[in-house]
């Protein structure tokens, strides 16, 4: 289905013109989520809700549209997202607004705006919704995608990082998708400044071996060079100084404590010295979740997050240590599908209402409503006329009973109750049909 949609997206406008009417497609990188996918999305959503409830997180919704400066100030102006991927435009009143590329900044804004620091800390929040990034679309990468995320605001202790990592891991683990955790610490403002200086010096010495993109990035965001996937940069990266050697004592202790907890819990993690993440607000712990065996692939992270102790104060709030993660819903749904997860069966129906002719359909729709109101799970196909296809549909749904109304039944004011297993039929007064069915189904 994904391939079909991608093929359509790639058609030229001319190919799409049929009988002089241009057929409008969804925008590039934006996709419709049809029922076949929704089944997997529901699995994702139900798991998120269950985890949120077990771990005591409450749901927050923030607007899709925010003042653009919220993201410039939080994600950072030298990041890919802010530099080239945001959907920014002027609102009708002249405000510069942006479709949110992520929701952590919005959560931090809401934390300040609603004085959530006055409530018992930490605030444990989860969210689910659409995000927008004008990236180059490819498999698993869209311009309009969904994320769900968990955030803990107002807690500095390593256990908060651990709960966040545990949630991110458990989501996949419990849905039967083997994943691993890549983890690093990028220190605090102080120890990172020293490291960045050392790193810049190192990369300057290697400038001639770097790709063109890294040469440009070296001025503005040298840590992002560690993230480069270009072949020619790999040997340079391998010998680069490692941030773990530069961490100050409190940052080192924090990171060690996080790792000890992970060991205690037996979670599969890998130290990744080049993991820096693409958003500027992180401090200390950063991590990403990968499908087992896909750790090296670019753009393959199923989710990621970390600590962002300065974000709330950067946005004007009081100092508030915090951490969180987000997973992409499309990537989650497709991984679950690949893992061959068996979908839960559709809800079983109790009866099928079949009708023959227009008069019968009128009676049937009323009976359908009466059954539904009485708590009977009822199926129908009002769009078919023949009895045979309707009974075949009833068979397929494996309902125990079919209620049949034909022309004779309309005249007599009756309905046929057919036992689908034995084929036995009985005729009952249409006004008593609901009661009779309830008796047969042992519904009180
Ligand atoms: P992020 O790494 O930018 O982090 O995005 C998290 C996840 O969202 C990715 O791992 C991926 O699954 C999904 N994602 C991102 N971009 C796309 C795209 N273009 N198409 C499909 N899926 C995508 C954040 O957004 C942070 N707010 C996470 C966080 C929460 N950090 C702390 N709290």
């Amino acid at each position: 289905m994904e391939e079909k949609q991608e093929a359509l997206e790639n058609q030229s406008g001319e190919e799409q013109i049929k009988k002089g009417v241009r057929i409008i497609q969804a925008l590039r990188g934006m996709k419709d989520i049809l029922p076949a996918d929704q089944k997997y999305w529901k699995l994702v959503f139900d798991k998120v809700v269950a985890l949120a409830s077990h771990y005591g997180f409450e749901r927050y919704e923030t607007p899709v549209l925010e003042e653009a400066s919220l993201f410039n100030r939080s994600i950072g102006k030298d990041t890919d997202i802010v530099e080239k991927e945001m959907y920014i435009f002027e609102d009708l009143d002249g405000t510069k607004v942006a479709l949110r590329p992520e929701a952590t900044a919005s959560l931090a804004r809401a934390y300040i705006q609603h004085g959530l620091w006055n409530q018992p800390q930490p605030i444990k929040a989860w969210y689910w919704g659409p995000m927008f990034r004008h990236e180059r679309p490819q498999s698993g990468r869209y311009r309009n995608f969904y994320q769900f995320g968990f955030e803990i605001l107002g807690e500095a202790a390593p256990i908060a990082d651990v709960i966040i990592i545990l949630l991110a891991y458990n989501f996949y683990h419990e849905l039967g998708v083997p994943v691993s955790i890549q983890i690093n610490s990028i220190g605090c403002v102080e120890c990172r400044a020293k490291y960045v200086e050392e790193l810049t010096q190192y990369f300057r010495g290697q400038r001639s071996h770097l790709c063109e993109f890294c040469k440009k990035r070296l001025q503005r965001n040298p840590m992002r060079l560690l993230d480069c996937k270009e072949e020619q940069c790999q040997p340079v990266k391998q010998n680069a100084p490692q941030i773990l050697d530069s961490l100050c004592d409190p940052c080192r202790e924090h990171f060690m404590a996080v790792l000890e907890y992970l060991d205690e819990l037996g979670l599969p993690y890998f130290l990744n010295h080049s993991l820096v993440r693409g958003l500027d607000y992180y401090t200390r712990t950063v991590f990403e979740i990968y499908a087992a065996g896909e750790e090296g692939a670019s753009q393959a992270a199923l989710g990621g997050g970390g600590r962002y102790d300065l974000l709330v104060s950067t946005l004007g709030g009081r100092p508030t240590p915090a951490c969180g993660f987000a997973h992409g819903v499309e990537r989650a749904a497709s991984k679950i599908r690949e893992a061959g997860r068996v979908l839960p069966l559709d809800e079983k129906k109790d009866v099928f209402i079949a009708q023959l002719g227009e008069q019968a359909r009128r009676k049937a729709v009323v009976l359908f409503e009466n059954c539904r109101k009485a708590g009977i799970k009822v199926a129908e196909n009002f769009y078919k006329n023949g009895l045979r296809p309707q009974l075949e549909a009833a068979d397929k749904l494996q309902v125990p009973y079919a209620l049949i109304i034909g022309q004779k039944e309309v005249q007599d004011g009756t309905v046929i109750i057919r036992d689908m297993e034995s084929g036995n039929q009985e005729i009952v007064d249409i006004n008593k049909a609901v009661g009779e069915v309830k008796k047969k189904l042992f519904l009180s």
Side-chain angles (χ1 to χ4, degrees), residues 15-87:
E15 284 171 313
Q16 295 170 12
I17 292 172
K18 281 197 184 154
K19 294 182 189 160
V21 181
R22 188 174 70 87
I23 297 174
I24 298 171
Q25 306 289 336
L27 292 171
R28 200 164 126 73
M30 308 213 170
K31 70 182 208 137
D32 303 310
I33 315 299
L34 302 179
D37 286 329
Q38 291 291 358
K39 295 192 173 168
Y40 291 92
W41 279 53
K42 184 169 181 314
L43 272 181
V44 174
F45 189 78
D46 289 349
K47 188 65 182 168
V48 172
V49 171
L51 286 172
S53 156
H54 286 153
Y55 289 83
F57 283 65
E58 291 182 301
R59 185 168 184 180
Y60 287 69
E61 294 272 8
T62 58
V64 169
L65 211 54
E66 296 268 9
E67 212 180 285
S69 58
L70 172 65
F71 304 112
N72 299 340
R73 278 165 58 183
S74 55
I75 297 172
K77 58 180 177 14
D78 290 331
T79 57
D80 286 352
I81 296 179
V82 167
E83 221 174 19
K84 51 185 193 220
E85 293 171 1
M86 282 222 289
Y87 282 87

Side-chain angles (χ1 to χ4, degrees), residues 102 104 133 135 140 142 147 151 277 281-282 301-303 324 328:
E102 60 107 49
T104 309
R133 296 182 194 176
E135 295 193 73
Y142 308 100
Q147 275 185 348
E151 315 280 351
R277 308 270 300 131
Y281 52 59
Y282 291 110
L302 298 174

Side-chain angles (χ1 to χ4, degrees), residues 63-332:
V64 169
L65 211 54
E66 296 268 9
E67 212 180 285
S69 58
L70 172 65
F71 304 112
N72 299 340
R73 278 165 58 183
S74 55
I75 297 172
K77 58 180 177 14
D78 290 331
T79 57
D80 286 352
I81 296 179
V82 167
E83 221 174 19
K84 51 185 193 220
E85 293 171 1
M86 282 222 289
Y87 282 87
I88 292 194
F89 54 94
E90 261 191 25
D91 202 349
L92 292 181
D93 62 12
T95 315
K96 209 167 173 198
V97 294
L99 285 169
R100 62 177 181 195
E102 60 107 49
T104 309
S106 306
L107 251 293
R109 185 218 16 88
Y111 180 87
I112 301 166
Q113 184 171 338
H114 302 288
L116 298 183
W117 68 83
N118 285 320
Q119 295 181 12
Q121 302 293 295
I123 295 293
K124 291 155 73 186
W126 74 275
Y127 53 85
W128 169 289
M131 311 292 156
F132 301 83
R133 296 182 194 176
H134 199 275
E135 295 193 73
R136 201 166 53 78
Q138 53 178 249
S139 168
R141 190 162 73 186
Y142 308 100
R143 290 180 173 169
N144 171 200
F145 59 98
Y146 276 67
Q147 275 185 348
F148 68 85
F150 286 73
E151 315 280 351
I152 300 180
L153 294 115
E155 181 55 64
I159 183 67
D161 311 38
V162 173
I163 293 294
I164 285 297
I165 296 169
L166 187 62
L167 270 162
Y169 174 79
N170 276 350
F171 168 79
Y172 276 107
H173 182 65
E174 291 178 10
L175 283 168
V177 180
V179 288
S180 68
I181 303 158
Q182 301 267 320
I183 190 166
N184 195 16
S185 171
I186 54 167
C188 60
V189 179
E190 281 91 48
C191 55
R192 199 189 312 160
K194 275 195 230 136
Y195 172 68
V196 169
E197 220 171 276
E198 200 187 328
L199 193 66
T200 312
Q201 260 183 15
Y202 167 77
F203 279 130
R204 278 208 187 114
Q206 302 289 324
R207 207 168 186 283
S208 57
H209 303 295
L210 295 173
C211 71
E212 287 311 307
F213 194 53
C214 280
K215 280 180 189 156
K216 277 189 210 142
R217 275 203 295 206
L218 183 53
Q219 301 296 331
R220 292 173 289 126
N221 207 343
M223 276 178 74
R224 293 288 295 162
L225 268 66
L226 294 172
D227 211 18
C228 181
K229 302 286 186 287
E230 287 293 323
E231 193 82 21
Q232 74 178 95
C233 293
Q234 300 314 307
V236 188
K237 257 175 61 176
Q238 258 158 28
N239 297 320
Q242 295 183 359
I243 183 141
L244 291 187
D245 297 331
S246 304
L247 292 184
C248 61
D249 287 346
C251 284
R252 183 188 309 279
E253 277 159 30
H254 185 96
F255 193 48
M256 285 305 144
V258 171
L259 298 184
E260 279 162 21
Y261 272 114
L262 297 183
D263 286 334
E264 196 88 30
L265 286 160
L267 297 191
Y269 68 84
F270 298 92
L271 288 180
N272 180 345
H273 305 293
S274 352
L275 182 65
V276 290
R277 308 270 300 131
L279 306 100
D280 275 359
Y281 52 59
Y282 291 110
T283 44
R284 295 192 165 174
T285 316
V286 287
F287 72 96
E288 282 178 349
I289 302 289
Y290 285 84
E294 289 180 8
E295 288 85 359
S298 67
Q299 297 298 339
L302 298 174
R307 189 159 268 290
Y308 48 92
D309 290 343
L310 301 177
L311 177 57
V312 173
S313 54
T314 305
L315 294 174
R318 48 180 71 182
T320 307
C323 55
F325 80 92
H327 280 352
V329 176
E330 290 79 1
R331 292 184 194 181

Side-chain angles (χ1 to χ4, degrees), residues 344-361:
L345 295 173
D346 289 336
E347 186 192 57
K348 268 227 174 257
K349 300 286 188 184
D350 297 321
V351 296
F352 188 98
I353 293 193
Q355 89 292 330
L356 211 61
E358 185 52 31
Q359 295 296 326
R361 193 170 3 238

